[in-house]
Amino acid sequence: MMTTTTWHTLYAPLDLSKQVTRLLCITPQALATGNSPEFRLQHALLDTKSQYETISYCWGDPTPCRTVLIDGKELQLPRSSAGIIEHISATSDQARVIWIDAVCVNQADTKERGHQVALMTRIYSEACQNNIYLGEGDTASLKGLETIRALSVEIHRRYPAHASDLQTPIDESAVSAFFSLPWFSRVWVVQEAVLARRSVCTLGQTQIDFDDVTRATDCLFDLSIINQVTKFDGLIKAYVVFMIRRLRDWIAQGIPIDLNHALLTTLLSKCSDWRDKVFGVLGLCSGSIARFGASDLLAVDYTKPYNHVARDATRHAVMTTHFGADAFLRLPCIIRCIFHHSLSNLHNSDLPSWVPRTLRKVDFDVDGHALAVWGVNEVATYQTMVGELKDPNTLELRGNVVGKVAQVSPLFEPTMFTDNLARLRGQLTTIQAMAKQGRAYYQLGRILIGDTNYKEKRSTKEDRAGLGHMLDCMVSMPGRLTSGRSDITAATEGADSEISGVRYFKALVQACRSRRFILTDRGDLGLAPRLSRVGDTIAGLSVDHGGVPYALHYNESDDSFKLVGACYIDGHMPGRLDEAIRGSESDIHYEWFKIT
C-alpha cells in the first residue's frame, strides 16, 4: 500500500561515522507506473567505487509540488528536481544510478546535511559523469548555446588572434541570455562543475560538453568581446564559467585552492540558505584548509547562525589569502569586495565591518566594482599579516598609515555616466583643481581610472592620454560615450582619438562609479569609497598584496577602526611604489590596526 511519507520516515539513517551516501536507481520503466514515477534508493560507501552519475541543477522554487515514489512510498519534491529525474528516466534506454541532493540527502536532518556537504568533494569527483541541467530554455538562450557551440568548433580548428579574426558571428544578446540562465547564478554549481571529472550540459533537448562552454567563454574574455566594463547582462555568470576553468586547471596541476579564491568566485551567486555561501565552496578548499590547520572555523554546521558562518569564513579567508593558488591568478583579498551603503550598514551590530555583506543583492550602481590592482603582476606573494584571534568580531591587521583624508569630492553618481555628462564634466573640472597639488596631468589621468585600462590591464601612456580625448567627446559627441556599443565596433570606427576617449570613459566608469576623489594631508590623490570623509585614516594593509590602501573610520572610545573599503592612492599601490612620494620600503612604519 502506497502512503504519503516524510523525510524522516522514508530514509533509513546514514552511518555518519563513515563516508557513505545514498544513490537513486532509475530504470527505463520508472515512468510506466502511472502518474507517480517509482524509483529505488540504496546506501553506498564511497570507498567501494560505486558507478554513478551526479546531477547539477538549479533548485528554483524549493516548495514541494511533485510526487514521486521512492521504494513504494510517496515523496513530494520541488518541481525542478522531480522534472530532472523524470527527464533522465524518459531519455534513457538503460538503468542509471544518480546522486541528486533533493532525494539523496535527508533535507530535514541538519546533521546529515552537514555530513553530506563535507563529502561533496568525493561525491562529485568520484562520479563517472556530472549532468548539468540548464532547464528547458527559450529561443534566445538556445541561440546563445548554438553560438557557444559554433565558437568552440572554431577554437578547436584555430584560435583567433584578434576579435577581428573571429569567423563565428557573436550575438551578444543571445549569449547573454544563455549565461543568464539560473544555473549560472547558483552557489553550488561552481563546486560541482570544478570537482567533476566530466560534465555534460543539457538545455531543452540539446547537449554540449561543458569543456566546450568553458573554452568558448575563455575566448570571449581573451578577445575582450565581453569584459568587466562592457555592458553585458550575462557578464557575472560568464565570469563564473571563466573561473571554473581556472580552478579545474589548478586542481589538475595539484595547486590547492584557498577559501579566498572560492568566496570571490561565488560572491554574487545565489542560494536558498545563506550559510551555503560558505558551505557551498568548502569542497573546493579541502586541501588548503587541511594544510593550514584552521578547519575549526569552517565546520559545516547548519545550526550555526549565518552571521557567525560569514564572519568565521572571512577571517579564515583573510588569514590564508596568499596561501595556495593566489600567486597564479593574483586575485584580491576578500575584504576588497566590501561596500557599505550607509553608516548604519557600516556599524551593523550583527556583522563586523570587515565582513562582506553578501546577504543583500549587489547593485553596481550603488556598490561600484572592486578596484583592480594593476601592479599585482610585479608583487611577490606576501606573508599574510593577521593578529591572533582574541575576539571573533575583531580583526587585527598589520599595515602602515598612508595619510589622513583632508578633502573629498562629491560622489560620482551613477547617472553622471548615462544621462548627465555635463555634471560629470563639471566634477572633473573641480577635481583638476584639487589635482594641482604638484600632480602632472597624466597622473590625474592615471588616478581617474585606477591605473587600469578598459581591458583590466595596467594602464599605458596612451590610455592616460584618453582623458583629454574623453573630455572632448563629452562636448562634441556625448552620445558616443554612452552608447554601449561593443569594443569590436569601437575598434573599427572613428578616429583614433575618439576610440581613445571611449575606452577611457569605460575605464573611468569602472573605477569611479559610487566612489569619491580624495586628497590626503600628505598631498596624495586617489579614489576612495562612497562613505569616505575628512579625517579618515588611509592605511596600506599588508594582508592584501602587500599593502593595498583602505579607508578606515577611527573610533576613539575603544581605539578601533571600521573598515570602509579599498582605495586607489597614487604612488602607494603595490607593484609601482613612487619613491619620490613614499620613500624606500625600509622607511615604512608598520603598526597594528584593530578593526571591528
Side-chain angles (χ1 to χ4, degrees):
M1 179 177 178
M2 297 179 295
T3 58
T4 302
T5 187
T6 64
W7 293 102
H8 285 302
T9 58
L10 171 66
Y11 292 116
L14 290 176
D15 185 347
L16 302 186
S17 66
K18 299 179 180 179
Q19 295 197 342
V20 62
T21 190
R22 299 185 186 90
L23 297 175
L24 185 67
C25 304
I26 301 176
T27 64
Q29 295 78 32
L31 292 178
T33 59
N35 294 328
S36 299
E38 185 166 2
F39 310 98
R40 292 186 300 104
L41 272 177
Q42 66 182 40
H43 286 201
L45 280 170
L46 294 176
D47 291 332
T48 60
K49 306 296 182 184
S50 301
Q51 290 294 308
Y52 64 95
E53 304 170 54
T54 50
I55 306 296
S56 179
Y57 67 111
C58 191
W59 270 56
D61 183 358
T63 305
C65 59
R66 294 279 287 276
T67 301
V68 297
L69 296 176
I70 306 292
D71 294 330
K73 297 179 180 179
E74 291 184 350
L75 181 67
Q76 284 195 316
L77 293 175
R79 185 181 303 276
S80 56
S81 46
I84 292 165
I85 295 170
E86 291 177 15
H87 175 82
I88 291 176
S89 181
T91 56
S92 300
D93 57 4
Q94 57 185 356
R96 294 170 73 174
V97 179
I98 67 169
W99 186 93
I100 181 169
D101 53 1
V103 176
C104 297
V105 179
N106 185 345
Q107 300 296 322
D109 187 334
T110 55
K111 287 187 177 180
E112 181 179 307
R113 284 173 63 199
H115 174 267
Q116 292 292 281
V117 167
L119 293 180
M120 287 295 185
T121 301
R122 294 201 62 181
I123 289 173
Y124 275 86
S125 62
E126 294 184 8
C128 57
Q129 178 172 290
N130 181 41
N131 300 284
I132 296 174
Y133 186 72
L134 300 176
E136 292 304 310
D138 54 20
T139 301
S141 58
L142 287 166
K143 184 176 181 181
L145 175 58
E146 291 309 318
T147 300
I148 293 292
R149 188 196 304 280
L151 180 56
S152 178
V153 171
E154 179 177 350
I155 293 168
H156 274 295
R157 189 175 70 252
R158 52 143 209 136
Y159 201 100
H162 304 285
S164 58
D165 297 332
L166 197 63
Q167 295 176 2
T168 301
I170 304 298
D171 184 329
E172 288 190 7
S173 62
V175 174
S176 178
F178 174 74
F179 284 120
S180 295
L181 291 167
W183 183 87
F184 293 98
S185 63
R186 182 175 178 244
V187 161
W188 288 97
V189 304
V190 173
Q191 178 173 273
E192 294 162 359
V194 170
L195 295 175
R197 299 178 189 175
R198 175 176 182 259
S199 292
V200 176
C201 296
T202 300
L203 180 62
Q205 301 302 312
T206 305
Q207 287 194 332
I208 184 173
D209 195 291
F210 187 65
D211 281 345
D212 290 337
V213 176
T214 64
R215 192 177 296 109
T217 306
D218 258 12
C219 181
L220 292 171
F221 275 95
D222 286 349
L223 302 182
S224 294
I225 295 170
I226 55 175
N227 56 63
Q228 295 282 18
V229 292
T230 300
K231 175 64 176 174
F232 186 73
D233 292 338
L235 168 66
I236 299 302
K237 291 84 173 181
Y239 186 72
V240 165
V241 177
F242 175 85
M243 280 303 302
I244 286 173
R245 185 173 175 87
R246 293 296 174 276
L247 297 177
R248 284 180 62 84
D249 288 345
W250 290 342
I251 288 178
Q253 297 172 48
I255 301 170
I257 299 169
D258 65 23
L259 183 61
N260 185 68
H261 281 78
L263 292 176
L264 285 169
T265 300
T266 59
L267 187 69
L268 303 178
S269 299
K270 301 175 184 177
C271 52
S272 55
D273 186 326
W274 286 102
R275 287 166 290 203
D276 287 340
K277 280 282 198 175
V278 175
F279 298 158
V281 298
L282 292 182
L284 295 173
C285 316
S286 54
S288 61
I289 291 171
R291 284 179 60 186
F292 190 77
S295 57
D296 55 316
L297 288 175
L298 303 174
V300 179
D301 181 0
Y302 281 97
T303 65
K304 188 175 181 180
Y306 165 75
N307 57 329
H308 291 179
V309 173
R311 177 198 64 194
D312 293 347
T314 301
R315 179 182 292 279
H316 186 278
V318 171
M319 292 169 65
T320 59
T321 295
H322 301 291
F323 178 85
D326 185 72
F328 293 86
L329 192 64
R330 301 176 294 275
L331 287 178
C333 178
I334 187 68
I335 61 173
R336 188 103 54 86
C337 298
I338 289 174
F339 301 99
H340 296 293
H341 286 181
S342 62
L343 288 175
S344 61
N345 181 261
L346 177 67
H347 295 280
N348 187 322
S349 60
D350 291 333
L351 284 173
S353 65
W354 46 268
V355 178
R357 277 31 176 175
T358 55
L359 272 176
R360 59 175 170 77
K361 181 181 179 181
V362 174
D363 180 351
F364 289 115
D365 280 345
V366 178
D367 296 311
H369 290 266
L371 283 168
V373 173
W374 39 262
V376 293
N377 290 336
E378 301 178 9
V379 177
T381 301
Y382 285 80
Q383 175 64 42
T384 298
M385 301 303 293
V386 184
E388 294 182 3
L389 176 60
K390 299 174 183 177
D391 175 358
N393 293 311
T394 299
L395 193 63
E396 293 191 7
L397 300 179
R398 184 172 179 263
N400 64 288
V401 174
V402 172
K404 301 277 190 180
V405 176
Q407 190 175 349
V408 299
S409 77
L411 187 69
F412 281 96
E413 297 282 358
T415 55
M416 290 181 177
F417 307 109
T418 54
D419 52 13
N420 204 341
L421 291 184
R423 186 179 169 198
L424 175 60
R425 184 177 175 85
Q427 178 143 319
L428 293 176
T429 301
T430 302
I431 287 171
Q432 282 182 268
M434 290 174 62
K436 289 180 180 178
Q437 310 286 329
R439 287 293 191 273
Y441 188 72
Y442 82 89
Q443 288 179 304
L444 174 62
R446 183 167 71 190
I447 296 167
L448 288 170
I449 58 175
D451 205 10
T452 305
N453 67 21
Y454 79 107
K455 289 187 176 182
E456 291 202 316
K457 304 291 184 181
R458 181 171 169 176
S459 71
T460 65
K461 187 179 295 184
E462 290 73 24
D463 293 320
R464 296 188 288 273
L467 172 58
H469 302 316
M470 182 193 70
L471 294 173
D472 291 340
C473 285
M474 283 184 179
V475 176
S476 61
M477 50 187 72
R480 180 70 175 89
L481 293 177
T482 59
S483 65
R485 284 188 284 175
S486 71
D487 292 315
I488 296 177
T489 304
T492 56
E493 293 184 5
D496 289 342
S497 60
E498 179 190 333
I499 296 171
S500 175
V502 172
R503 290 177 172 175
Y504 188 91
F505 180 76
K506 288 185 175 183
L508 181 142
V509 173
Q510 173 86 352
C512 291
R513 183 164 51 190
S514 293
R515 288 190 170 88
R516 302 179 188 276
F517 198 89
I518 65 169
L519 175 67
T520 73
D521 59 351
R522 299 179 183 179
D524 296 318
L525 291 161
L527 289 169
R530 62 185 296 124
L531 294 186
S532 301
R533 63 190 181 188
V534 172
D536 280 353
T537 297
I538 305 298
L541 300 180
S542 300
V543 70
D544 200 352
H545 288 293
V548 171
Y550 282 81
L552 306 172
H553 283 353
Y554 180 62
N555 183 0
E556 188 175 3
S557 63
D558 62 355
D559 192 30
S560 67
F561 294 88
K562 292 292 185 182
L563 194 151
V564 181
C567 305
Y568 173 92
I569 306 297
D570 196 47
H572 293 272
M573 303 304 293
R576 185 193 273 177
L577 298 178
D578 189 334
E579 301 296 338
I581 299 172
R582 183 170 178 175
S584 66
E585 191 72 22
S586 60
D587 295 335
I588 300 173
H589 172 68
Y590 290 100
E591 57 187 273
W592 289 96
F593 296 89
K594 184 173 75 171
I595 305 174
T596 62

